[in-house]
Amino acid sequence: MKIISIILLIVGVVGLFLSMLMYGDIGIAAGIGSVTAILSGIGFILINKQINN
């Protein structure tokens, strides 16, 4: 699960950067998707900590 969370965080940060380079509605949609990936990555990290305890 830790690997999945790290991959989601990396994809989210890269997607957020790339969404700033896009125009119009596509940029907004990419930004929403990247924020969702970041939040999912953080959620996986928190769940992983709770499972290990």
Side-chain angles (χ1 to χ4, degrees), residues 26-44:
I26 301 297
I28 295 171
I32 291 171
S34 62
V35 169
T36 304
I38 292 171
L39 292 176
S40 298
I42 292 171
F44 272 113

Side-chain angles (χ1 to χ4, degrees), residues 3 6 21 30 34 41 44 51:
I3 295 172
I6 292 171
L21 301 176
S34 62
F44 272 113
I51 288 174

Side-chain angles (χ1 to χ4, degrees), residues 2-4 12-13 16 19 21 29 31 33 42-43 45 48 50-52:
K2 193 171 189 178
I3 295 172
I4 294 172
V13 169
L16 192 60
S19 70
L21 301 176
I42 292 171
I45 289 173
N48 191 23
Q50 288 182 357
I51 288 174
N52 289 336

